[in-house]
């Protein structure tokens, strides 16, 4: 069975007393879940598949035991645990943690980017001025230096992963992602 949510009000109404949304089957979110609504969610637990057609902001943790497919941006302030078969994020995953999320072997994320509040940290780590500009401008600037940056041994595994997703974001989508995306758009 699939629970379909078309408004943030419907999604917020699903919260338990602890602020966690628990769904025993599949959850399909057909709206953006912006910061203003997502800050009211302390966690999302889905036993089936999670399919979000827009932007998903979760101030707590996100635990998806099935496939997770997000067409927009995913910003998860808590732990991200997706132990399902596939994880696809067609937009950017905002990731602020030192440790990487738990993802299935088969995963695709367009880019993994730090949240805005980490700009000074990343400016220091990258050794370049990124104090001004939006994500797209900063990504273009960093991309020009990626080969040099990735040769450096100083990166933590999570930082290297984030830089590698920026490098790989210009590559063609893997065939398995194209197939799943076509199925989702046909549905």
């Amino acid at each position: 069975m699939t629970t379909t949510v078309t408004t943030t009000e419907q999604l917020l109404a699903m919260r338990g007393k602890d602020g966690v949304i628990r769904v025993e089957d599949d959850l399909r979110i057909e709206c953006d879940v912006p910061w203003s609504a997502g800050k009211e969610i302390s966690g999302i637990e889905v036993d089936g598949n999670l399919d979000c057609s827009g932007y998903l902001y979760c101030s707590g943790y996100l635990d998806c035991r099935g496939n997770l497919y997000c067409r927009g941006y995913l910003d998860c302030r808590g732990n991200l645990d997706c132990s399902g078969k596939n994880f696809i994020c067609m937009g950017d995953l905002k990731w602020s943690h030192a440790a990487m999320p738990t993802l299935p072997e088969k995963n695709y994320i367009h880019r993994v980017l730090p949240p805005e509040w980490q700009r000074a940290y990343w400016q220091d780590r990258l050794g370049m001025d990124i104090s001004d500009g939006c994500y797209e401008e900063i990504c273009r600037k960093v991309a020009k230096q990626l080969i040099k940056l990735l040769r450096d041994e100083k990166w933590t595994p999570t930082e290297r992963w984030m830089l590698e997703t920026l490098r790989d974001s210009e590559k063609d989508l893997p065939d398995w992602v194209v197939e799943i995306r076509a199925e989702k758009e046909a549905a």
Side-chain angles (χ1 to χ4, degrees), residues 96-110:
S96 63
H97 308 302
M100 292 175 54
T102 303
L103 298 173
E105 185 176 323
K106 212 170 187 181
N107 69 78
Y108 172 80
I109 303 169
H110 179 244

Side-chain angles (χ1 to χ4, degrees), residues 60-177:
Y61 66 92
L62 179 56
D63 184 354
C64 181
R65 294 173 187 95
N67 296 319
L68 187 133
Y69 182 81
C70 184
R71 290 179 185 89
Y73 297 105
L74 176 58
D75 190 342
C76 184
R77 295 292 164 105
N79 184 45
L80 173 59
D81 186 347
C82 182
S83 54
K85 183 178 176 186
N86 300 307
F87 175 88
I88 299 174
C89 181
M90 298 304 297
D92 295 331
L93 170 61
K94 300 289 178 60
W95 194 250
S96 63
H97 308 302
M100 292 175 54
T102 303
L103 298 173
E105 185 176 323
K106 212 170 187 181
N107 69 78
Y108 172 80
I109 303 169
H110 179 244
R111 295 183 305 200
V112 181
L113 302 175
E116 290 179 24
W117 59 268
Q118 288 188 341
R119 189 181 295 231
Y121 172 83
W122 277 93
Q123 181 169 294
D124 181 56
R125 294 292 285 154
L126 293 167
M128 64 176 66
D129 181 13
I130 59 168
S131 61
D132 196 27
C134 65
Y135 277 108
E136 294 307 316
E137 293 171 58
I138 293 169
C139 286
R140 280 192 297 272
K141 186 175 186 177
V142 172
K144 291 178 184 177
Q145 301 296 320
L146 270 174
I147 293 172
K148 177 184 165 200
L149 290 168
L150 286 169
R151 285 187 188 134
D152 199 324
E153 298 291 325
K154 71 179 180 183
W155 305 109
T156 68
T158 302
E159 291 170 338
R160 180 168 295 283
W161 168 64
M162 293 171 79
L163 291 169
E164 288 172 347
T165 64
L166 180 59
R167 176 199 63 202
D168 297 344
S169 67
E170 297 301 318
K171 293 181 180 179
D172 290 338
L173 294 173
D175 290 341
W176 69 272
V177 173

